[in-house]
Amino acid sequence: WISLWCCSREGRPVARGLEFGTTGLHQPFPFCAEWPRIFGRPTFAYIDAGASQRRAYACFSCKVPDGFQGVRSVELRECGQISIVERTEVAQQITIQGGPDLHEKLFGQS
């Protein structure tokens, strides 16, 4: 999950944050246990004693055209390209070259 947050004081932003993690809700565990899945994805993960897990994250930024109506989907192709499809009936597609080994770094061998 990714969480974007902003802290304001007296109506003015004083801090912004970007967080990555396995818990998609900023709530205590009992609350998350009541909502174990959102959008088909788990809201939390646990690690057993003595176990380990690996997570991989990637981020990117790009300019979008004026009037862009939001994102329908983002896809990371095996060649390292990132494809962003607009959320409209006649969707624009933005393609970013992310590097030939980006997919392998995130997901291992194809």
Side-chain angles (χ1 to χ4, degrees):
W1 291 94
I2 184 172
S3 180
L4 307 171
W5 57 268
C6 178
C7 177
S8 299
R9 291 197 183 111
E10 299 175 12
R12 304 187 98 175
V14 294
R16 295 181 69 84
L18 172 69
E19 299 175 0
F20 298 88
T22 59
T23 302
L25 302 174
H26 293 283
Q27 299 292 330
F29 181 76
F31 181 89
C32 292
E34 290 182 31
W35 297 93
R37 298 185 81 74
I38 296 177
F39 304 123
R41 304 289 297 167
T43 59
F44 61 89
Y46 66 91
I47 302 173
D48 253 342
S52 65
Q53 295 182 1
R54 181 176 182 263
R55 300 281 188 249
Y57 301 94
C59 64
F60 63 90
S61 65
C62 69
K63 291 186 178 186
V64 295
D66 289 341
F68 193 78
Q69 297 294 307
V71 175
R72 175 186 301 157
S73 65
V74 176
E75 175 188 0
L76 173 59
R77 298 180 179 144
E78 286 189 31
C79 64
Q81 285 183 337
I82 300 167
S83 172
I84 305 161
V85 178
E86 186 178 19
R87 185 188 335 153
T88 57
E89 203 168 300
V90 182
Q92 297 182 67
Q93 181 171 319
I94 300 168
T95 302
I96 303 166
Q97 186 58 50
D101 60 346
L102 179 60
H103 191 276
E104 184 180 333
K105 284 181 179 177
L106 291 172
F107 302 108
Q109 292 292 332
S110 302

